[in-house]
Amino acid sequence: MSSQWLSKAFMKKICENPKIKLRSLIKKAHSKWNVDLTMTKAARVKQQALDEINGTYGEQYRRIHDYAAELLRSNPGSTVQIQVERPPEFELETPPPGTDLRPQFQRIYICLEACKRSFMVCRPMIGLDGCFIKTPYGGQLLTAIGWDPNDQILPIAYAVVEAETKDSWRWFLLNLCDDLGVDKIRWCTFMSDQQKVTLNLNLCN
């Protein structure tokens, strides 16, 4: 069995756990195919799978504007905001040869129209939370969640940002204010990290 074939066979397992130990791959190959892998070959198999996975992630980020366009096409009235970073050399009149001037993804905010309309007739309560994104590029997922009349979770808006900072939360909440409107959001009770808190919403004014 070639390392290329094995890397594809282990693709799903390595994608789910990029830090999987080489001994786990060796044990799996032995139990499933009765094949003994050396540590060197197992390392090569893992690296080939990671290279393929990381390349896939990069391609998806390059198509982020296509994703935004499809969301707006299939969900009219929705909001999608994309923020990118450009290298400092982009401002130069004659950038150094070989400089990569392509913009890099920084943030995306999404609020689907159906979710926004649903929240308008729900109790004025919003839960805010953030969590790590377990991909090679990292980042944080920020969410605003409501509760419908059946006490089911209702996603209002979500965003992928570079880190959970005061600036990224402010950016997220400003977009949320624009979507829900100040008159609606000023009367909402906010809950963060499963604890009742009071937030200063002067940023909406």
Side-chain angles (χ1 to χ4, degrees), residues 34-45:
N34 197 26
V35 172
D36 292 325
L37 293 183
T38 63
M39 291 291 285
T40 302
K41 188 166 185 178
R44 189 161 61 247
V45 167

Side-chain angles (χ1 to χ4, degrees), residues 85-127:
E85 285 184 320
R86 292 188 180 275
E89 292 83 2
F90 183 79
E91 303 295 334
L92 300 178
E93 186 173 343
T94 55
T99 304
D100 188 356
L101 299 179
R102 291 177 297 181
Q104 290 187 338
F105 171 82
Q106 184 184 22
R107 300 170 178 173
I108 184 171
Y109 165 89
I110 297 169
C111 179
L112 300 179
E113 174 66 14
C115 295
K116 179 168 52 177
R117 287 203 314 268
S118 296
F119 178 71
M120 290 302 182
V121 294
C122 291
R123 68 193 74 177
M125 187 170 182
I126 298 176

Side-chain angles (χ1 to χ4, degrees), residues 13-181:
K13 182 175 287 293
I14 295 174
C15 185
E16 292 172 351
N17 181 18
K19 295 182 180 180
I20 189 171
K21 295 185 179 300
L22 297 181
R23 293 193 182 277
S24 297
L25 297 180
I26 293 172
K27 184 178 179 180
K28 183 69 174 178
H30 182 77
S31 63
K32 190 168 185 178
W33 300 296
N34 197 26
V35 172
D36 292 325
L37 293 183
T38 63
M39 291 291 285
T40 302
K41 188 166 185 178
R44 189 161 61 247
V45 167
K46 181 180 177 181
Q47 189 57 51
Q48 287 178 354
L50 286 174
D51 290 343
E52 182 67 25
I53 292 167
N54 293 344
T56 300
Y57 280 116
E59 180 61 29
Q60 290 174 357
Y61 275 106
R62 282 192 288 273
R63 299 196 61 187
I64 195 74
H65 287 282
D66 295 336
Y67 174 63
E70 178 59 23
L71 281 178
L72 295 174
R73 184 200 66 79
S74 57
N75 302 272
S78 300
T79 302
V80 180
Q81 298 285 351
I82 297 176
Q83 188 168 302
V84 299
E85 285 184 320
R86 292 188 180 275
E89 292 83 2
F90 183 79
E91 303 295 334
L92 300 178
E93 186 173 343
T94 55
T99 304
D100 188 356
L101 299 179
R102 291 177 297 181
Q104 290 187 338
F105 171 82
Q106 184 184 22
R107 300 170 178 173
I108 184 171
Y109 165 89
I110 297 169
C111 179
L112 300 179
E113 174 66 14
C115 295
K116 179 168 52 177
R117 287 203 314 268
S118 296
F119 178 71
M120 290 302 182
V121 294
C122 291
R123 68 193 74 177
M125 187 170 182
I126 298 176
L128 300 175
D129 205 356
C131 66
F132 290 104
I133 299 177
K134 295 182 179 180
T135 69
Y137 293 99
Q140 290 270 344
L141 176 67
L142 307 183
T143 58
I145 303 295
W147 285 266
D148 67 17
N150 293 322
D151 272 338
Q152 300 298 309
I153 289 177
L154 172 68
I156 305 169
Y158 58 96
V160 175
V161 298
E162 70 283 8
E164 190 175 3
T165 63
K166 184 180 293 185
D167 180 66
S168 62
W169 270 114
R170 179 181 174 84
W171 179 80
F172 177 70
L173 290 174
L174 280 172
N175 281 298
L176 188 65
C177 286
D178 290 340
D179 275 320
L180 301 183

